[in-house]
Structure formats: C-alpha cells, structure tokens
Amino acid sequence: MNKGVAVTGMGITSAIGNNTAANYNSLISGKHGISTPEVLKTIYKHLPVGEIKISNESFAKKLNLPENHSYTRAALLGALAVKEAIFQANLKLDGDTGFISGTSVGGMDATETYFKDFSEGKTDNNRFIRAQHPGFTTEKIAEYFEVNGFVSTISTACSSGANAIMLGARMIKTGKLKRVIVGGTDCLTKFTLNGFNSLMILSNEQCKPFDENRKGLNLGEGAAYLVLEAEEEINGKPVLGRISGYGNANDAFHQTASSENGEGAFLAMQKALKTAGIPVEKINYINAHGTATKNNDKAESAALERIFSNKLPDFSSTKAFTGHTLAAAGALEAVYSLLAIQNEQVFPNLNFSNPMLNPGFIPVTNLKEKPIDYVLSNSFGFGGNCTSLIFSKNGI
C-alpha cells in the first residue's frame, strides 16, 4: 500500500471558526455558521450564507498590513490560514518550498466594489485592478510569506482546493518539491451570490445535504491550507496524517450540472482508490461533496452506489456547517478529514430528515465515535471537474 505524503501542518478560517481548534469545537458541538449577510453588502439579505463576521480592516490588522495594502478579502483569509499551517508545521520557508492555491472568484470582491471608479477614470484604487485575475490572490499570499519558489494557482471551480492538494502531493512524490503549502481560499461576493441565485440553486433556508426535500445550497467563504512534506524532510516532527490517494476526472456533461450517473465522480473515486492501492472496504468515512442541490446529491449518490454497492461506509456532508465555500471547499474538508482521523470521529450531516427516494442513503446525523484509518473526501466543480482525495492515518 502507498504510505502517502506527510501532512505536518494545517490552518483554516471559516464561518465556524478562525482556527483549527475553533472549527473542530463547532463540528463536535453541531454549531453551524449559517446566517444572513452582514459584511457582504447585498440586496439579498434574506439568503442564508456561511459568512465570517469579521471585517477586512480587522483581518488586515491581524496581519499587520499597511493602510494602503492591496490584499482582497480572499487573500486576507488565505494568509491567515497559511500562517496557522506554517506555525503548526514549524516550517522553514526556503527555495525548495512551493505554494499552490485554489481560488475561483479571487479578488473579485474588490473589483466589483471599485468598478465604477475604474470606469470613471478615478485612480485611488487602481492597485486592485489586477485582483480580477485569480492568480493575483495567490501572488499576494506568497508575497506576504516571501515564498519565492514554485508558486501556482488552480481555478477549477469547486474542486480547486482539492486539485491544489493533489498537485502538491504529486510534485512531492515525483521529487519536484521537498515541501509545499497547498489549499484554497474564496470569499463571498455579489457576483457569486447573484450568479448562483440566477441558477436557482440557492436555498432560502439552511441547506439539507442528501435530504429528499433539499432546496439548494448556501454559499460560504473561507480558506484552508495544508503543509505537505517529503518523507526525508520530516526529521521527527509530528505527522497529522497522509495523502494516500487522489484522482481527477471530468464527465464533460454540462457546464454546471453533473451527469445523472455521476460518471465524473465515479471515475475520480476509482482513480483515488487505485492510487492509494487499497480496496473500497478500507474506507471508514466519506466526507461527501454534498452541496444539497437536487442535481449534485443525486449524482454523487449514484456514483457512491457504483463504487461501494451495498458496502457504503459512514458518510456526511459538512457544508451545512460552513456553506459551500467554492474553491476553498476541498481544502476546508481536507482539514475536517484529517480531524476525523486524528479524533476518530465522524462529523454530522446537519438538517437531515428524509432519505432520498433513490438510492435512499442515510448520512451520519450525530457525532459518531469509531476507528478511522482512511477518509475519502470528494470535491466536484462546475464544468464537470471532479476530484477525490484519500487521507490516511500516519503509519498506515
């Protein structure tokens, strides 16, 4: 079996906490972070979101940034999560350290705010024009920590964070990097809230993943990053877990919808299991993508049935805690997967009441204690880009 790539640090900020410990406490106590928009200035005050109730100004002060900084909200969230991960890993940043970050909207919160100023020729906020490109967010985080080695951005919609983790693990396994910081960040914006609302897939109440009466998703914001290190670089430091398997596939079915039989999700999970070199029976818990839309939950359930048949392990979606954080989702749920392994706990699928008529799977709805050696984490994006990661206990 594949021993995997070592995870030596992790950091996270989300609607349920601004560090790993706070997120874990919310998960085990069933405390969600879904509310109505306050920091985001929008006309859709009635739509529930997983918003972090801290202003950009407060985040900038935490990072000791000057007043005229050009860090957008996604960059601020990302820098805070990276800072925690680096601290936990006791990481020495040098030329052999890489940084791979996933984001979808990047700094669009700034460009949509100052668009009118740009169009009228005002120059006070021109430093934010480049923030429209997702890579700008990555560059600002790398600049803050003076990471000058391999720096890259992945933007594959909701699988971005998971794909960043996969790429980092592959680069370590092939010897291209000794250590790499991987994950994703996205913030709430008018563009995403309006866009998802136009697709008619937002719920006007707290989302209900895998429930027959689900109405749609709640958008969220957040950031999470892992420090990955090659085996020879660990030097006795604590290992939080390992990335044993990964797989990416695309069902090429539709721009925003998954195929009904979950072909992309099926292929991604199949590839992850093959990379890990383990049979399906080894998976103890699945952190499902579980967005609570009619299409996603049906497609993911079909794919799970194809992979696991009648041997489906415990599964749950944690998006009812945080909302769907888009590019950051796979990274947030990577942290939750590692917490599940470390604490031997399955986190609950909130708001579930009625099983879907087909195939009738029932997620774990209360905190469950059990031995966990392997966790499968799914992240599926628009455009059919599907990614599955397998995390394992240290030494497995």
Side-chain angles (χ1 to χ4, degrees):
M1 284 187 286
N2 173 19
K3 191 172 184 181
V5 174
V7 181
T8 58
M10 56 187 183
I12 185 170
T13 182
S14 76
I16 60 172
N18 287 314
N19 54 51
T20 303
N23 273 261
Y24 173 65
N25 287 334
S26 293
L27 289 170
I28 61 174
S29 61
K31 181 183 177 183
H32 68 82
I34 307 301
S35 61
T36 50
E38 295 174 25
V39 178
L40 179 67
K41 305 307 178 187
T42 173
I43 61 172
Y44 295 111
K45 297 291 187 183
H46 65 290
L47 290 175
V49 292
E51 185 177 62
I52 300 170
K53 304 302 185 185
I54 299 176
S55 68
N56 288 2
E57 292 75 19
S58 295
F59 280 132
K61 286 180 180 177
K62 287 177 180 286
L63 295 168
N64 296 314
L65 294 173
E67 286 189 16
N68 65 340
H69 70 81
S70 56
Y71 285 72
T72 62
R73 188 168 179 85
L76 294 168
L77 297 176
L80 282 165
V82 169
K83 188 174 183 179
E84 183 188 7
I86 289 174
F87 178 80
Q88 184 177 33
N90 192 22
L91 187 66
K92 176 187 175 185
L93 299 172
D94 56 22
D96 291 319
T97 304
F99 180 53
I100 307 171
S101 183
T103 189
S104 58
V105 297
M108 204 178 292
D109 62 306
T111 55
E112 69 183 15
T113 298
Y114 299 118
F115 177 78
K116 189 175 181 182
D117 288 354
F118 300 153
S119 65
E120 292 176 351
K122 297 177 182 177
T123 60
D124 289 354
N125 295 298
N126 276 6
R127 65 189 184 278
F128 289 111
I129 291 177
R130 287 182 58 233
Q132 182 74 13
H133 192 289
F136 181 80
T137 299
T138 304
E139 290 173 9
K140 296 306 294 183
I141 300 171
E143 175 188 302
Y144 183 84
F145 295 101
E146 299 181 351
V147 177
N148 300 311
F150 180 85
V151 176
S152 187
T153 303
I154 290 183
S155 191
T156 54
C158 309
S159 60
S160 302
N163 279 328
I165 294 170
M166 180 176 69
L167 177 58
R170 291 180 65 184
M171 292 188 76
I172 285 180
K173 292 191 76 171
T174 55
K176 295 185 181 299
L177 288 173
K178 293 182 178 179
R179 63 194 70 85
V180 59
I181 303 163
V182 293
T185 182
D186 256 339
C187 65
L188 288 166
T189 68
K190 293 179 183 178
F191 175 82
T192 46
L193 194 64
N194 295 356
F196 276 78
N197 195 39
S198 70
L199 291 172
M200 296 184 288
I201 55 174
L202 292 182
S203 175
N204 61 359
E205 59 186 27
Q206 291 177 28
C207 68
K208 303 174 179 179
F210 298 106
D211 192 287
E212 176 63 22
N213 299 319
R214 62 198 184 281
K215 294 183 177 180
L217 61 84
N218 304 139
L219 280 178
E221 61 181 353
Y225 290 86
L226 308 178
V227 174
L228 308 184
E229 298 196 61
E231 195 69 36
E232 65 272 16
E233 298 297 313
I234 297 172
N235 295 323
K237 70 170 65 174
V239 174
L240 307 178
R242 295 179 185 271
I243 300 172
S244 296
Y246 40 75
N248 174 266
N250 196 308
D251 59 15
F253 176 74
H254 187 270
Q255 286 184 317
T256 59
S258 301
S259 54
E260 287 194 2
N261 67 348
E263 183 68 10
F266 168 78
L267 291 172
M269 288 187 280
Q270 187 180 64
K271 289 180 179 181
L273 288 161
K274 183 177 180 180
T275 306
I278 60 172
V280 294
E281 293 81 10
K282 288 283 187 179
I283 301 295
N284 308 115
Y285 167 50
I286 302 168
N287 185 294
H289 187 54
T291 62
T293 64
K294 290 289 185 183
N295 172 253
N296 175 89
D297 291 7
K298 182 179 180 181
E300 186 170 11
S301 294
L304 289 170
E305 187 173 33
R306 291 172 67 185
I307 290 287
F308 293 96
S309 187
N310 60 347
K311 299 177 182 178
L312 185 69
D314 289 330
F315 78 99
S316 66
S317 168
T318 48
K319 286 185 173 65
F321 282 94
T322 62
H324 187 359
T325 57
L326 304 183
L332 263 69
E333 290 158 25
V335 171
Y336 298 159
S337 297
L338 289 163
L339 287 172
I341 289 170
Q342 291 168 3
N343 297 284
E344 298 193 319
Q345 293 170 317
V346 175
F347 304 122
N349 191 112
L350 301 180
N351 309 323
F352 178 87
S353 299
N354 304 297
M356 293 164 54
L357 297 179
N358 185 23
F361 293 152
I362 299 177
V364 172
T365 56
N366 293 297
L367 185 70
K368 182 175 181 178
E369 312 274 348
K370 63 176 287 188
I372 298 178
D373 292 325
Y374 290 95
V375 174
L376 172 68
S377 184
N378 287 333
S379 297
F380 308 141
F382 279 176
N385 194 296
C386 300
T387 300
S388 295
L389 302 172
I390 295 177
F391 298 91
S392 63
K393 187 172 289 186
N394 182 32
I396 294 294

